[in-house]
Amino acid sequence: MKTILILNGPNLNLLGTREPDLYGHDTLKDVEALCTESAKLHGLGIEALQSNHEGDLIDAMHKAGQAFKAGTLLGVVINAGALTHTSIGLHDAIKGIQPCPVIEVHISNVYAREAFRHHSFIAPVAAGCIVGFGIRGYQLAIHALAEGQH
Ligand code: DQA
């Protein structure tokens, strides 16, 4: 069974209690359960990792690149949190594992928020971006990957 890697960056472990007006009441565990369910519909599995550390996410991206090459991984869904707006390292990692498709997800509509959230270092190297649809964004990304819409 092929898998999709679900990566979550800094502070997303606080989902459910962190700014619920913006991010909702669902926890990271709920998000991962939703992803498992969505992937299952396509006969796919998921692997999930959350880290507050940039290097862990970069290492996970490199591993994903190897799994993609080996034919065991379909692609990556990443919500890089605040690293979206700062990390050239993640940009380079995503570029470095191409053509493995990476889909950028944000729970909130970052473009309706502070100006510093309007720039993404991930978007230029992402297969696609899904913002502002709440945790449903993860599901949409999984469907897009599974259906080859990238
Ligand atoms: C976020 C948006 C980012 O700007 C923020 O730093 C996050 C969450 C989102 O899912 O809406 O941590 O990625």
Side-chain angles (χ1 to χ4, degrees):
M1 180 168 56
K2 276 204 183 192
T3 59
I4 291 176
L5 175 65
I6 312 293
L7 280 181
N8 279 289
N11 302 309
L12 288 157
N13 53 313
L14 300 180
L15 275 181
T17 55
R18 170 194 185 201
E19 300 182 79
D21 290 351
L22 264 178
Y23 299 119
H25 292 278
D26 291 306
T27 64
L28 184 60
K29 230 176 151 192
D30 296 331
V31 169
E32 290 172 357
L34 193 70
C35 290
T36 302
E37 220 176 83
S38 308
K40 218 173 176 182
L41 294 175
H42 300 279
L44 298 165
I46 70 152
E47 271 177 49
L49 174 83
Q50 185 277 332
S51 177
N52 294 320
H53 306 282
E54 187 175 12
D56 288 347
L57 298 169
I58 292 172
D59 286 345
M61 209 54 95
H62 293 173
K63 260 181 86 179
Q66 285 163 5
F68 179 79
K69 259 195 203 155
T72 57
L73 184 103
L74 195 63
V76 181
V77 175
I78 184 168
N79 182 348
L83 289 173
T84 306
H85 319 299
T86 61
S87 179
I88 297 170
L90 265 175
H91 169 107
D92 286 347
I94 295 168
K95 210 169 182 180
I97 66 163
Q98 278 171 352
C100 175
V102 176
I103 300 190
E104 174 182 2
V105 167
H106 298 288
I107 296 167
S108 65
N109 179 0
V110 285
Y111 300 104
R113 299 180 60 193
E114 304 95 319
F116 63 80
R117 295 185 204 276
H118 297 180
H119 180 262
S120 167
F121 279 102
I122 292 174
V125 286
C129 306
I130 299 170
V131 308
F133 290 99
I135 65 166
R136 187 156 155 61
Y138 293 86
Q139 276 186 307
L140 296 171
I142 288 169
H143 294 320
L145 277 176
E147 291 161 14
Q149 295 162 352
H150 52 79

